């Protein structure tokens, strides 16, 4: 098959995108006949990003566009990772894919869902000392970062950089998750290598080293990157572990000793000394303080890292079949990993709980540095907002129950009509079977009774709708017609004779909105709180005046 073919065999190539085309999509443009471009976002690695929503304006997401050949792009790896995490039940630790596809066998795209919540960078700026947090809050963050790193390594992936803007906080579950995985790459560890040719080519051609842009990006870089350089370095599980130690120290102390250095050799020596002896540990004497136990945890992390490296060197020298010392499988690296993630996470959870037992307080319920108590006016506004939302929920539930009740009333009326038909048919059948002949007058009388019964049902339905829409004049007219079958109102004076109930019904319809019998909820405008009790009705204008616009939205 020719490699110069245009697109897939079953694909019609309409436009051949260039990189400039991907970078200049216009707002309000429809992409892939599904998604509307809202605005352009900052470029992430080689991917052009846009904020999009579907045509129903219900789902919002981020569109990633990237050009590549033979699947050698970062987007297929991200799609594979997010799909695997979703199928394994770990989607709460990452983002979720809404849609994905390929255009012309060269343009790869995916859309990830936008989850509400602040980024880690925004939360750090909200602390009392911007950029510096307490040991308890840092331990809270460490638990979630360790969990994400464990899941990445168990699926043959590594995190090549740490960016506080890529981590988000879910306010409902109080959990940090990795929102943007553009800096996640395949692991170069031989335990994770796959036989698949595409993955091997992807692992060789994509950059798997630490993400280096300038000297400032060396802040959390591991020692192996400073030794091997960007051309030879490949991220491993131990590099991520070392990066975590630097991150936690920087968040609690304000800066690392080598933050302002530019000489990589000096930085390498300082990092080695740092891992050997964590600074400020000897200055802490109060063993009941969270700062003391946090410093001990950092020191234990460094010791655990050294021991894990020695153990892996020993295992790698063992002669085993296939050149790999760990079995294959989606959870093999995590189950047989030298690093004991569960034990480390439990140690940080104890720091968050101040050593209290698990049954006394859950570690996710502990107040963090950015958690602040609302004053009296804010609490009053929050209560009004909650009451407003509750009122809207009750109004929606009221509408739903009314629709169900109306549905069953119609079913009951139809059942009564069918029963009346059956009764009249049985009477006619019994007379004929007994040998009595039906005179034309009797047949006409039966038909008249049936039409009157049907007319009465239709009038009752019309009365309920008129009462719902508060049409006073029409209600009186329908009631008079129900009481006196011979009555003909103003609307039926020029219509057909009243013997036909459908004619009388159709003549009155112009007085009502054009509503079919199976009317939908969206066809009739009903005030949200018109059917609610008085104590649950909320004046939205009053709340809008008291609240700022951004809070109300």
């Amino acid at each position: 098959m020719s490699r110069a073919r245009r697109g897939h065999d079953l694909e019609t190539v309409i436009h051949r995108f260039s990189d400039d085309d991907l970078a200049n999509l216009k707002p309000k443009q429809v992409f892939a006949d599904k998604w509307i471009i809202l605005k352009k976002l900052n470029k992430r690695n080689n991917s052009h990003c846009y904020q999009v929503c579907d045509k129903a304006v219900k789902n919002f997401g981020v569109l990633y566009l990237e050009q590549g050949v033979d699947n050698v792009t970062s987007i297929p790896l991200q799609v594979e990772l997010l799909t695997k995490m979703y199928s394994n039940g770990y989607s709460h630790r990452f983002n979720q894919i809404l849609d994905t596809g390929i255009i012309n066998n060269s343009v790869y795209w995916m859309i990830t869902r936008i989850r509400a919540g602040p980024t880690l960078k925004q939360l750090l700026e909200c602390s009392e000392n911007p950029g510096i947090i307490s040991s308890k809050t840092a331990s809270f963050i460490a638990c979630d970062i360790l969990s994400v790193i464990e899941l990445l390594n168990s699926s043959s992936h590594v995190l090549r950089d740490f960016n506080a803007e890529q981590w988000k906080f879910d306010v409902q579950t109080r959990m940090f998750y990795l929102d943007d995985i553009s800096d996640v790459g395949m692991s170069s560890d031989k335990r994770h290598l796959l036989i698949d040719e595409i993955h091997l080519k992807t692992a060789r051609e994509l950059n798997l080293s630490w993400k280096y842009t300038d000297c400032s990006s060396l802040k959390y870089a591991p020692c192996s990157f400073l030794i091997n350089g960007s051309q030879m370095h490949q991220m491993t599980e131990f590099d991520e572990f070392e990066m975590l130690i630097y991150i936690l120290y920087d968040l609690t102390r304000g800066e690392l000793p080598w933050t302002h250095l530019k000489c990589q050799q000096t930085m390498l020596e300082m990092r080695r000394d740092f891992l050997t002896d964590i600074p400020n540990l000897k200055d802490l004497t109060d063993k009941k303080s969270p700062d003391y136990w946090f410093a001990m945890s950092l020191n234990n992390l460094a010791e655990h890292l050294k021991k894990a490296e020695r153990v892996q060197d020993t295992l790698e020298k063992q002669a085993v079949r296939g050149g790999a010392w760990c079995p294959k499988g989606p959870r093999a690296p995590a189950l047989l990993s030298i690093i004991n993630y569960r034990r480390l996470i439990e140690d940080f959870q104890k720091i968050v709980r101040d050593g209290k037992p698990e049954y006394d307080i859950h570690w996710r319920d502990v107040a963090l540095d950015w958690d602040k108590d609302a004053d009296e006016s804010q609490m009053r506004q929050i209560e009004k907002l909650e009451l407003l939302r509750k009122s809207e929920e009750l109004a929606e539930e009221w509408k739903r129950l009314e629709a169900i009740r109306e549905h069953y009333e119609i079913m009951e009326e139809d059942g009564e009509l069918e029963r009346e038909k059956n009764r009249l048919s049985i009477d006619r059948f019994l007379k004929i079977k007994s040998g009595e002949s039906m005179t034309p007058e009797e047949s006409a009388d039966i038909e008249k009774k049936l039409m009157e019964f049907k007319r009465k049902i239709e009038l009752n339905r019309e009365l309920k709708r008129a009462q719902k829409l508060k049409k006073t004049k029409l209600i009186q007219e329908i009631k008079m017609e129900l009481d006196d079958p011979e009555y003909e109102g103003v609307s039926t004076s020029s219509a057909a004779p009243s013997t036909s109930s459908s004619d009388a019904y159709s003549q009155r319809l112009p007085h009502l909105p054009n509503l079919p019998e199976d009317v939908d909820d969206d066809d009739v405008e009903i005030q949200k709180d018109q059917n609610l009790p008085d104590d649950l009705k909320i004046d939205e204008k009053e709340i809008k005046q008291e609240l700022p616009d951004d809070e109300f939205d």
Side-chain angles (χ1 to χ4, degrees):
M1 183 179 294
S2 174
R3 299 294 294 176
R5 64 184 175 88
R6 299 183 63 187
H8 295 295
D9 298 334
L10 301 178
E11 181 181 11
T12 301
V13 179
I14 300 175
H15 176 70
R16 207 164 173 83
F17 288 95
S18 64
D19 193 67
D20 293 336
D21 295 332
L22 301 180
N24 296 310
L25 297 182
K26 304 299 181 183
K28 299 183 181 179
Q29 182 178 348
V30 178
F31 179 81
D33 296 330
K34 301 179 184 177
W35 303 94
I36 302 174
I37 305 294
L38 298 180
K39 66 177 181 179
K40 186 176 181 180
L41 304 176
N42 295 330
K43 190 175 181 180
R44 302 178 184 177
N45 292 340
N46 296 326
S47 300
H48 301 280
C49 300
Y50 298 87
Q51 184 178 341
V52 298
C53 69
D54 59 356
K55 291 185 177 180
V57 197
K58 291 184 178 180
N59 297 315
F60 292 82
V62 177
L63 169 65
Y64 294 78
L65 286 166
E66 187 174 343
Q67 275 195 327
V69 181
D70 291 335
N71 209 28
V72 184
T73 65
S74 62
I75 288 183
L77 294 178
Q78 297 178 43
V79 172
E80 179 188 8
L81 173 62
L82 294 178
T83 304
K84 180 183 291 186
M85 292 302 162
Y86 180 80
S87 60
N88 290 340
Y90 299 116
S91 59
H92 58 285
R93 296 288 184 183
F94 301 89
N95 213 328
Q96 183 180 351
I97 291 181
L98 294 178
D99 199 0
T100 183
I102 307 174
I103 303 175
N104 298 350
N105 201 25
S106 60
V107 178
Y108 297 82
W109 61 275
M110 72 172 182
I111 296 177
T112 58
R113 183 168 64 95
I114 295 179
R115 294 170 60 181
T119 62
L120 177 57
K121 183 178 180 180
Q122 293 172 338
L123 292 175
L124 294 177
E125 294 173 353
C126 293
S127 58
E128 295 182 0
N129 298 323
I132 302 177
I133 56 178
S134 64
S135 300
K136 184 183 297 185
T137 304
S139 301
F140 186 97
I141 298 174
C143 294
D144 289 331
I145 294 179
L146 277 171
S147 300
V148 171
I149 291 177
E150 179 186 11
L151 292 172
L152 288 176
N153 284 279
S154 67
S155 58
S156 309
H157 293 80
V158 289
L159 185 62
R160 298 175 47 239
D161 188 16
F162 180 81
N163 188 349
E165 295 182 354
Q166 296 179 350
W167 293 80
K168 272 190 168 184
F169 184 68
D170 193 329
V171 293
Q172 293 184 347
T173 60
R174 293 181 62 83
M175 180 185 299
F176 284 95
Y177 64 94
L178 187 57
D179 181 66
D180 182 7
I181 62 171
S182 56
D183 290 334
V184 173
M186 288 189 63
S187 175
S188 61
D189 197 317
K190 65 182 182 180
R191 293 175 294 168
H192 307 142
L193 288 182
L194 304 176
I195 302 176
D196 188 273
E197 180 181 355
I198 293 179
H199 287 84
L200 288 177
K201 187 176 181 179
T202 303
R204 294 191 186 101
E205 295 192 12
L206 289 178
N207 188 5
L208 302 181
S209 67
W210 176 263
K211 186 180 177 181
Y212 175 74
T213 54
D214 50 23
C215 292
S216 61
S217 61
L218 296 176
K219 188 176 182 180
Y220 303 133
C223 293
S224 58
F225 176 78
L226 300 178
I227 296 172
N228 299 321
S230 58
Q231 299 298 326
M232 299 296 295
H233 177 254
Q234 291 182 338
M235 285 291 293
T236 63
E237 182 180 11
F238 297 148
D239 293 339
E240 294 176 287
F241 207 68
E242 182 181 347
M243 172 190 70
L244 177 62
I245 297 175
Y246 300 151
I247 292 171
L248 296 178
Y249 186 88
D250 183 43
L251 292 178
T252 53
R253 301 297 185 266
E255 65 176 17
L256 291 162
W258 54 84
T259 300
H260 304 291
L261 296 180
K262 295 184 178 180
C263 178
Q264 295 190 12
Q265 183 62 33
T266 306
M267 293 172 65
L268 177 61
E269 294 175 358
M270 294 187 68
R271 288 170 198 264
R272 288 174 173 172
D273 295 339
F274 180 88
L275 295 174
T276 303
D277 186 11
I278 303 295
N280 300 335
L281 178 60
K282 297 179 181 180
D283 299 339
L284 300 171
T285 57
D286 186 6
K287 294 186 178 181
K288 295 182 179 180
S289 172
D291 294 337
Y292 175 82
W293 290 107
F294 182 78
M296 286 292 296
S297 299
L298 288 183
N299 190 67
N300 293 337
L301 287 178
E303 293 296 331
H304 195 86
L305 177 61
K306 297 175 188 176
K307 184 177 180 180
E309 290 176 343
R310 290 194 298 267
V311 173
Q312 178 168 331
D313 292 339
T314 304
L315 292 175
E316 286 184 342
K317 295 177 182 178
Q318 295 180 0
V320 293
R321 185 176 60 182
W325 49 274
C326 279
K328 296 179 180 179
R331 293 291 296 171
L335 294 176
L336 299 179
S337 177
I338 302 170
I339 297 177
N340 189 350
Y341 288 96
R342 293 296 97 193
R343 179 63 180 272
L344 297 174
I345 291 175
E346 290 177 359
D347 291 342
F348 281 112
Q349 288 178 359
K350 291 178 181 178
I351 297 176
V352 176
R353 298 195 306 263
D354 284 335
K356 296 180 181 178
E358 216 173 309
Y359 59 82
D360 187 31
I361 182 173
H362 194 273
W363 65 279
R364 289 205 181 273
D365 297 332
V366 175
L368 304 177
D369 291 352
W370 45 78
D371 293 333
K372 299 179 180 179
D373 295 332
D375 55 25
E376 186 176 352
S377 61
Q378 292 175 339
M379 287 299 298
R380 186 165 57 253
Q381 294 174 356
I382 292 173
E383 290 175 357
K384 288 186 177 181
L385 274 177
E386 291 178 350
L387 193 58
L388 174 61
R389 291 169 184 164
K390 183 179 179 182
S391 175
E392 292 176 350
E393 292 176 359
L394 289 175
E396 292 296 328
E397 182 67 13
W398 194 282
K399 285 172 59 177
R400 188 184 69 84
L401 294 176
E402 276 192 338
I404 294 175
R405 182 180 63 184
E406 184 178 354
H407 170 72
Y408 281 105
E409 286 178 353
I410 293 175
M411 288 180 59
E412 181 64 26
E413 292 170 353
D414 291 341
E416 291 179 2
L417 181 60
E418 289 296 324
R419 287 192 292 270
E420 184 66 18
K421 287 181 180 179
N422 294 335
R423 187 183 66 79
L424 295 175
S425 299
I426 291 173
D427 292 342
R428 181 186 301 177
F429 173 76
L430 293 176
K431 283 187 178 182
I432 295 174
K433 190 173 183 180
S434 61
E436 299 179 8
S437 60
M438 293 287 296
T439 61
E441 291 79 6
E442 292 177 340
S443 299
D445 185 55
I446 291 176
E447 290 295 333
K448 184 178 180 181
K449 289 181 180 179
L450 185 60
M451 294 302 295
E452 288 179 355
F453 190 81
K454 183 177 180 181
R455 177 174 172 273
K456 185 177 180 181
I457 291 177
E458 290 176 347
L459 286 173
N460 285 325
R461 291 182 184 176
E462 193 175 352
L463 177 62
K464 291 177 182 178
R465 288 176 180 166
Q467 290 173 346
K468 190 173 185 180
L469 297 174
K470 299 180 180 180
K471 302 288 185 178
T472 308
K473 184 177 179 181
L474 190 57
I475 292 173
Q476 295 175 356
E477 183 181 338
I478 297 173
K479 287 183 177 180
M480 292 178 67
E481 192 169 349
L482 282 172
D483 296 337
D484 185 8
E486 301 298 329
Y487 171 79
E488 291 185 2
V490 177
S491 61
T492 59
S493 59
S494 60
S498 59
T499 54
S500 175
S501 62
S502 60
D503 291 339
Y505 182 68
S506 62
Q507 289 298 322
R508 191 177 286 107
L509 281 179
H511 294 266
L512 288 171
N514 187 16
L515 298 177
E517 292 189 5
D518 53 346
V519 60
D520 295 331
D521 291 340
D522 297 335
D523 295 336
V524 183
E525 279 194 18
I526 301 176
Q527 295 296 328
K528 291 183 179 178
D529 56 352
Q530 75 173 39
N531 293 321
L532 293 176
D534 294 336
D535 57 342
L536 290 179
K537 291 184 180 180
I538 302 298
D539 188 2
E540 295 187 14
K541 294 183 179 179
E542 178 185 350
I543 297 180
K544 286 183 177 179
Q545 291 175 358
E546 295 187 8
L547 290 178
D549 295 338
D550 54 348
E551 291 189 19
F552 188 83
D553 294 337

